[in-house]
Amino acid sequence: MIDKKQSLFLLGGQDLEMVTIRKVLEKEGVEFHDKNLSWGAKLSDYQAFLDFEGMIYGVELEADITPPKNYIEIDHHGNNDEKPSSLEQVSNILGIELDDEQILIAANDSRYISGMKSLCVTQEKIDEIRAKDRKAQGITLEDEALAKTSFEACCESETNCIYSQTPKFSAVSDLAYYKFDNYIIYDDTKIVFYRYKKEIILEFLKSHNINEAAYYYGGGDFGFVGIKENVLDKTKIEKLVEEFKKVENQDELYSYHTFMLPFTFNGDFTPKNGDWEDKPFEIKKQQDYNEYIYFYKHVQDAIFNDKEKEKWISKYYEYKNQKGTYTINCIKGVFELELDGLSLRIFSTNVAILSFNLKNTKYNSVDDILAINDFGRRIYPQFLGDNFTCDTKQAILANCITLTFEDEKPITENFQTFDSLDKFNGEKLKDLQLLPQFIRLLIEPSFEKTEKIRPIIDDRMFVISQYNNDALVKSLSNYKECNAYEYETNDFWYKYLFVDGNGKTCQSKHMTKKLLAESSYDRWIEWGTLFGISRYSFVSITGSWYGKKILLPHTQTMYFQMFTLLLAYRATIIKFADDIQDATSQDDAKLPNKAKEIYKKYLAFLNKLYFKEVTAQDQGVELYSQAMKIMNIEKYMADLDTEINELHNYANIIEEEKRTKSMNRLSMLGSYLLLPSLVVGFFGMNISEFEGIKNQFSWIVLVGFVVLSALVVPIILNRFNKQRKETSEQL
């Protein structure tokens, strides 16, 4: 902790963070000077106070003069971009804790709206902080109106390059943030690039001979880069905007991710509103034809649903909004991915697969890709520690995942419902709701169902991932002197293949090599493409050009369909296992009919959906075969076949017992009537005319004898059976 009497703080440009810092200093009784400067405040503005003998702290002041030796810079812009916010730095110097509001203000200033979203606060709270920040910056109602006019003009012209009619760009940015993934705001004197990758903008400015002294930046890798006021004239600014449009149109794709949730359900599962649209397969472009013709005819019938067919094997639905963002906030950072499609395929075996297709054009490091795959696929905590999900979030669980569609309220899952045991004590274990908000709210309101859906890959979704990285794939394909490729023992490849985003989980070199040998597919390794398959992933790494132009369409279509089938097999096998368990727990009287129903569905599954091979293409045959082996599909099918046959045999035993009991009843009835039948047979059916019967009394005696024999014989037989049973038990 500092000596407050020997410390002096000099405050920079006014915004909400600086106002908050001033309040903190006032509360702590620390000396400071605040000239209410605007952004771009300079150290020279406080030159009269630089002879202070204690420690001088300059908060967000441009060092336009040489600072004294007792001067400490506090900033988080430019070269200090990786440091905490200025408010956090001040609190650390003073040795104090920030409250929740101050933490939010710090996040706002350090990482803007994305920073506040990372704290999983409500949109209302974010809007409140932004309004306070604009007010602290001196933004007037007139500025707000001009900002709105500027924003609406760019929306009409369908451009993300916004000419601002107010010099207060933050008022425009607060509107543009929710409309564009990235955008430019400029006027006649300055220009700011928002939410682009910092390195791309700095490289662009360098290529136009704009030196470091002419610009500033902050907000992290995807924050902002601005050219200082009056460095360029109006003509040069407009030319720079046009030049950047050419660069921007060269869309970079670092990776592509598909998260797939296979689940089972009972009852009807058809849409009841317009959120999901039935999409029969149609060939509209070359890529559609290539996808269709890739598979055998019987496979086409299973995965390419035709609206003309009444007896369907699968149906394919797309969500009404196909564009949006999928934001993963985790211990590794905040990753905002572009939603490239949201689909649901429902199979006649009462299983379905929900798929999120995601484009990554922002994050290129290996750690980023690993984090996206691992944290983005989690749907509930795998474990709870002493601090509940706080411990889980330090390991494998995201702080929150947010699904956002344009013009719709974001859906956020922060997993906080697991921070209390009430959730488990208040529900029956079989009814425990584990699905996250962003999945449950997509499905439950839109489909009729009789029972809660059940995910089948524990706390994870299946991951399909394509990573485009020229240098890395070249490194992995390096052939070493020991007659092995680099990937065969490479730690990154292991973590990528087995989705270990928080560290490699296998610490044996021998086992690592064995697992990578079994799970890697390297047919095209020397041409720069490598595939990997695990029980919960299908990954690839390739070069940038080949990845975007050649491999990506395969990943989005053929390989996606292939693993859709494989996941459908796993889900269907589990569904049959559940049905068998349910059937055997019922009354024996109902079991034969239930068994017949299950057996009929099983035969339909074998004949119409389960395929040992799906294509004639060599690579497809090899990948599919390897995936079947790694995912243990054939073993599970063999086990299921055994269970089905045992159920069928058991049902036959019950049926045979029923038939035996029926035959025993008939035999018993015959034994009851045996003596009466003999009497009647001896005297003849027309006993009233028999010569031995001379009067009515004799006739009555005869009839009584017949009736009495019918009553006495069963009693004798029952007693005989009882004695025989007792004798058997004694033996």
Side-chain angles (χ1 to χ4, degrees):
M1 183 180 294
I2 66 169
D3 184 347
K4 295 179 181 179
K5 294 182 179 180
Q6 292 297 315
S7 302
L8 173 66
F9 287 78
L10 308 175
L11 305 188
Q14 289 296 293
D15 58 14
L16 182 58
E17 182 187 42
M18 203 62 66
V19 169
T20 306
I21 290 173
R22 176 179 181 133
K23 290 179 180 178
V24 168
L25 295 172
E26 287 175 342
K27 182 180 178 181
E28 295 297 317
V30 182
E31 184 178 353
F32 68 89
H33 291 287
D34 183 4
K35 287 194 169 186
N36 292 315
L37 302 171
S38 59
W39 285 353
K42 297 176 172 55
L43 180 59
S44 61
D45 293 323
Y46 289 101
Q47 190 160 12
F49 304 101
L50 297 181
D51 58 355
F52 183 77
E53 293 183 358
M55 293 304 300
I56 302 173
Y57 299 90
V59 184
E60 297 187 8
L61 296 173
E62 181 183 340
D64 60 330
I65 60 174
T66 302
K69 293 182 179 180
N70 58 335
Y71 179 81
I72 294 178
E73 180 185 50
I74 297 175
D75 205 348
H76 59 95
H77 302 95
N79 293 329
N80 299 304
D81 194 30
E82 297 304 317
K83 291 183 178 181
S85 69
S86 297
L87 177 55
E88 290 171 293
Q89 292 182 53
V90 169
S91 71
N92 290 334
I93 291 169
L94 297 177
I96 62 172
E97 295 284 336
L98 298 178
D99 61 29
D100 291 345
E101 178 90 353
Q102 291 167 339
I103 291 172
L104 195 56
I105 291 169
N108 168 62
D109 204 89
S110 176
R111 294 295 184 264
Y112 192 41
I113 294 174
S114 297
M116 291 189 284
K117 281 187 170 184
S118 72
L119 299 177
C120 297
V121 296
T122 64
Q123 186 63 45
E124 290 77 10
K125 192 63 180 177
I126 291 174
D127 293 341
E128 177 188 328
I129 294 296
R130 288 306 309 150
K132 288 181 179 180
D133 199 5
R134 293 196 301 273
K135 182 179 179 181
Q137 294 172 34
I139 294 175
T140 65
L141 291 176
E142 182 182 2
D143 289 320
E144 299 274 13
L146 291 172
K148 185 177 180 182
T149 301
S150 304
F151 173 69
E152 290 174 348
C154 87
C155 291
E156 289 178 5
S157 57
E158 297 183 349
T159 177
N160 65 341
C161 298
I162 309 167
Y163 179 81
S164 177
Q165 299 178 37
T166 171
K168 304 291 187 178
F169 283 6
S170 63
V172 183
S173 180
D174 283 359
L175 298 172
Y177 179 92
Y178 297 101
K179 174 69 176 177
F180 305 109
D181 290 335
N182 38 49
Y183 48 94
I184 299 170
I185 303 176
Y186 68 101
D187 61 13
D188 295 344
T189 64
K190 60 184 180 295
I191 179 173
V192 182
F193 301 84
Y194 293 89
R195 304 180 73 191
Y196 290 96
K197 192 169 181 64
K198 180 175 65 180
E199 285 78 2
I200 293 176
I201 302 300
L202 297 184
E203 187 65 31
F204 172 73
L205 297 181
K206 182 180 178 181
S207 70
H208 285 75
N209 300 316
I210 299 174
N211 60 45
E212 191 173 349
Y215 59 78
Y216 57 94
Y217 57 86
D221 287 341
F222 294 91
F224 61 88
V225 179
I227 299 177
K228 296 176 181 178
E229 199 166 9
N230 296 318
V231 170
L232 303 176
D233 60 26
K234 178 182 178 181
T235 302
K236 289 184 178 179
I237 288 173
E238 290 175 347
K239 183 178 179 181
L240 196 67
V241 171
E242 292 303 315
E243 288 295 320
F244 184 73
K245 287 180 180 178
K246 298 176 184 177
V247 175
E248 186 178 20
N249 288 334
Q250 299 173 2
D251 185 26
E252 188 62 76
L253 179 69
Y254 294 123
S255 60
Y256 196 88
H257 308 260
T258 299
F259 296 138
M260 306 172 72
L261 176 72
F263 60 89
T264 65
F265 61 90
N266 287 333
D268 188 23
F269 201 67
T270 53
K272 66 177 181 180
N273 60 31
D275 288 350
W276 291 89
E277 300 173 0
D278 189 0
K279 290 285 185 179
F281 184 79
E282 296 178 291
I283 296 178
K284 295 182 177 179
K285 52 185 185 295
Q286 295 94 321
Q287 186 171 314
D288 298 329
Y289 173 82
N290 296 339
E291 178 183 4
Y292 184 77
I293 212 68
Y294 183 82
F295 296 99
Y296 289 133
K297 176 65 173 65
H298 51 280
V299 181
Q300 294 169 356
D301 292 340
I303 59 178
F304 300 116
N305 49 308
D306 186 345
K307 62 183 178 181
E308 301 298 328
K309 289 185 177 180
E310 293 183 6
K311 292 185 178 180
W312 54 276
I313 302 172
S314 73
K315 289 184 179 179
Y316 177 76
Y317 297 89
E318 289 183 354
Y319 194 65
K320 62 181 179 181
N321 292 326
Q322 288 291 293
K323 298 296 181 182
T325 57
Y326 188 98
T327 305
I328 307 159
N329 177 289
C330 64
I331 193 173
K332 301 291 185 179
V334 179
F335 305 97
E336 187 175 84
L337 307 178
E338 178 186 342
L339 185 64
D340 192 43
L342 180 55
S343 65
L344 181 69
R345 184 171 290 281
I346 300 173
F347 291 89
S348 57
T349 55
N350 280 36
V351 304
I353 299 173
L354 177 69
S355 301
F356 299 88
N357 295 322
L358 308 169
K359 289 173 66 176
N360 166 30
T361 59
K362 297 181 178 181
Y363 317 98
N364 193 30
S365 76
V366 294
D367 289 335
D368 290 343
I369 305 304
L370 293 174
I372 288 169
N373 282 342
D374 198 13
F375 290 90
R377 65 179 175 152
R378 303 283 177 177
I379 59 174
Y380 60 84
Q382 190 180 54
F383 68 91
L384 297 176
D386 293 338
N387 298 310
F388 291 91
T389 56
C390 288
D391 295 335
T392 327
K393 291 175 180 179
Q394 292 295 313
I396 58 174
L397 185 67
N399 295 321
C400 60
I401 294 178
T402 302
L403 183 63
T404 305
F405 300 106
E406 188 174 340
D407 299 325
E408 287 190 26
K409 187 176 180 180
I411 307 173
T412 298
E413 176 58 70
N414 56 23
F415 307 104
Q416 288 180 356
T417 56
F418 295 91
D419 285 336
S420 169
L421 293 178
D422 294 342
K423 178 180 180 66
F424 305 95
N425 295 332
E427 294 186 49
K428 295 179 181 178
L429 290 179
K430 68 182 183 66
D431 295 328
L432 190 63
Q433 180 57 262
L434 296 174
L435 288 176
Q437 285 272 75
F438 67 90
I439 289 177
R440 194 166 68 251
L441 293 181
L442 285 176
I443 297 176
E444 289 186 352
S446 305
F447 287 84
E448 296 282 4
K449 61 188 186 313
T450 59
E451 192 171 301
K452 215 164 11 181
I453 67 175
R454 174 191 172 188
I456 68 158
I457 316 183
D458 53 54
D459 65 311
R460 296 164 286 190
M461 290 187 275
F462 189 88
V463 176
I464 295 179
S465 176
Q466 177 186 318
Y467 184 19
N468 304 329
N469 188 318
D470 296 276
L472 186 54
V473 74
K474 184 178 180 180
S475 172
L476 293 175
S477 61
N478 181 40
Y479 198 67
K480 299 183 292 188
E481 293 181 359
C482 56
N483 296 326
Y485 291 107
E486 171 64 30
Y487 82 83
E488 294 180 65
T489 55
N490 184 271
D491 282 356
F492 162 75
W493 178 241
Y494 182 94
K495 289 187 285 186
Y496 181 48
L497 199 164
F498 293 104
V499 201
D500 285 347
N502 202 36
K504 186 165 171 274
T505 54
C506 179
Q507 294 302 309
S508 164
K509 288 183 171 59
H510 295 296
M511 190 173 185
T512 295
K513 187 173 182 179
K514 177 177 178 291
L515 291 173
L516 288 179
E518 292 172 350
S519 299
S520 300
Y521 178 77
D522 66 355
R523 171 186 273 263
W524 307 107
I525 183 65
E526 296 196 8
W527 281 12
T529 299
L530 180 63
F531 296 92
I533 305 168
S534 75
R535 290 183 297 109
Y536 33 78
S537 67
F538 172 63
V539 302
S540 60
I541 184 168
T542 188
S544 298
W545 181 88
Y546 185 84
K548 286 185 290 186
K549 301 296 183 182
I550 307 298
L551 184 58
L552 182 61
H554 287 68
T555 300
Q556 294 171 314
T557 56
M558 293 85 148
Y559 300 149
F560 172 74
Q561 298 289 13
M562 191 182 294
F563 281 89
T564 295
L565 282 174
L566 291 165
L567 290 175
Y569 300 163
R570 286 178 64 178
T572 300
I573 291 168
I574 290 174
K575 183 69 174 70
F576 274 123
D578 289 345
D579 290 345
I580 291 170
Q581 184 182 36
D582 180 60
T584 54
S585 65
Q586 293 182 7
D587 185 86
D588 281 355
K590 299 178 181 179
L591 190 140
N593 287 335
K594 188 70 176 177
K596 288 177 184 177
E597 181 183 336
I598 292 173
Y599 198 72
K600 182 179 179 181
K601 288 181 178 179
Y602 177 62
L603 292 177
F605 168 58
L606 287 177
N607 293 327
K608 296 183 178 180
L609 185 56
Y610 179 67
F611 311 116
K612 296 281 185 75
E613 192 174 284
V614 295
T615 179
Q617 297 290 328
D618 287 344
Q619 178 170 307
V621 170
E622 293 162 359
L623 279 172
Y624 187 78
S625 176
Q626 188 171 353
M628 288 275 281
K629 180 181 179 181
I630 289 170
M631 296 171 74
N632 282 325
I633 301 295
E634 292 189 347
K635 177 184 179 300
Y636 294 147
M637 280 298 297
D639 292 343
L640 176 62
D641 188 67
T642 300
E643 289 185 50
I644 292 284
N645 286 326
E646 288 178 352
L647 177 68
H648 188 63
N649 292 336
Y650 183 53
N652 285 339
I653 290 172
I654 293 173
E655 292 276 69
E656 184 62 33
E657 286 180 349
K658 285 183 180 179
R659 285 192 292 270
T660 301
K661 286 181 180 179
S662 297
M663 292 300 296
N664 288 340
R665 290 192 190 99
L666 289 174
S667 299
M668 186 66 72
L669 181 61
S671 65
Y672 292 168
L673 299 177
L674 177 60
L675 186 56
S677 299
L678 289 173
V679 173
V680 172
F682 179 77
F683 289 106
M685 290 301 296
N686 193 4
I687 60 175
S688 61
E689 297 180 359
F690 188 68
E691 293 179 353
I693 306 296
K694 299 296 183 181
N695 54 51
Q696 186 176 7
F697 174 77
S698 300
W699 184 87
I700 292 172
V701 170
L702 179 60
V703 172
F705 178 76
V706 172
V707 173
L708 181 62
S709 64
L711 293 174
V712 171
V713 170
I715 294 173
I716 295 172
L717 288 174
N718 285 337
R719 181 170 295 180
F720 173 76
N721 288 333
K722 184 177 180 181
Q723 289 176 347
R724 186 177 62 178
K725 184 177 180 183
E726 289 174 352
T727 303
S728 176
E729 289 176 352
Q730 289 174 359
L731 293 174

